[in-house]
Amino acid sequence: MVILEKTSTQLKLRHRPYFIWKLSGCLVFSVPLLMVLGRFVFPWIIYMLGLYLLFAFNIILSLVFLLFYGRVFTYHFDKDTNSLFIKRRGLFKTQVTLYPLSDIFQIQVKSTSWNQDKMAHYKIAIILKSGKHLFIQSGETSIQQKLETVNLIRQFLGIPPQKLAD
């Protein structure tokens, strides 16, 4: 999560899924490398294991990852227009969702797992007055970094900071 802009009336945050992009690149480039190495060491393995089918499968899997999980999220909190813009930009389309800032009831780090120990998975949640939860994509960051992001947003909106219970 990167802070793009922070003023008294504007707060912009952006999340880029670098892990998904790297994973997709590794999937595409690992099989051709395996095919080249296999051709020199074991020429029969190319036909026996169907590496060409594996290569096609990896390309399709990489495209699925990029299309569904490789989107860039931008969160724009704007006090001038009293709105939260959530922009999801993918390979082929961009989707923008608008929420009024006055509809935000709470922003907190929320556990999404049953187990509340140190290995629990946490997400940043924007809770609207209607009860709807919007989860902010922040990547695989620590709970401390997520708490800092939550408190940055809470400070911007004039909500007291959140503290984690020990």
Side-chain angles (χ1 to χ4, degrees):
M1 180 75 60
V2 176
I3 300 169
L4 297 177
E5 182 179 353
K6 182 184 175 195
T7 64
S8 62
T9 60
Q10 306 281 322
L11 178 63
K12 274 189 186 179
L13 305 169
R14 180 182 61 208
H15 167 67
R16 287 189 172 162
Y18 292 115
F19 176 74
I20 298 295
W21 296 349
K22 288 177 187 177
L23 178 66
S24 295
C26 288
L27 283 174
V28 169
F29 292 114
S30 63
V31 173
L33 181 64
L34 184 64
M35 288 170 63
V36 169
L37 291 175
R39 187 168 287 214
F40 289 120
V41 178
F42 302 109
W44 52 268
I45 201 166
I46 299 224
Y47 302 107
M48 191 170 137
L49 297 178
L51 287 178
Y52 292 111
L53 291 175
L54 182 63
F55 180 60
F57 175 74
N58 277 356
I59 287 180
I60 292 169
L61 187 65
S62 296
L63 287 174
V64 167
F65 275 147
L66 288 175
L67 287 174
F68 294 108
Y69 300 109
R71 296 180 292 181
V72 175
F73 287 84
T74 305
Y75 304 94
H76 183 188
F77 297 87
D78 189 355
K79 287 183 180 177
D80 292 335
T81 60
N82 188 34
S83 54
L84 163 63
F85 296 96
I86 301 176
K87 183 176 169 183
R88 297 168 188 88
R89 188 180 51 186
L91 283 177
F92 299 114
K93 72 175 188 172
T94 300
Q95 179 184 6
V96 178
T97 311
L98 174 70
Y99 298 97
L101 288 180
S102 56
D103 282 356
I104 295 175
F105 173 68
Q106 187 67 263
I107 298 175
Q108 60 187 359
V109 176
K110 189 171 183 153
S111 174
T112 57
S113 52
W114 292 93
N115 191 2
Q116 298 296 322
D117 65 356
K118 292 183 181 182
M119 297 303 292
H121 187 261
Y122 292 92
K123 287 187 174 183
I124 299 173
I126 298 175
I127 303 169
L128 301 178
K129 289 180 180 175
S130 65
K132 182 178 178 182
H133 288 64
L134 305 173
F135 291 103
I136 290 182
Q137 301 293 323
S138 61
E140 295 299 321
T141 58
S142 68
I143 186 171
Q144 208 53 37
Q145 291 171 320
K146 290 178 183 181
L147 184 63
E148 289 173 11
T149 303
V150 163
N151 286 334
L152 175 72
I153 298 169
R154 289 171 73 109
Q155 177 188 12
F156 177 77
L157 296 176
I159 302 172
Q162 178 184 3
K163 295 179 183 169
L164 291 178
D166 290 328

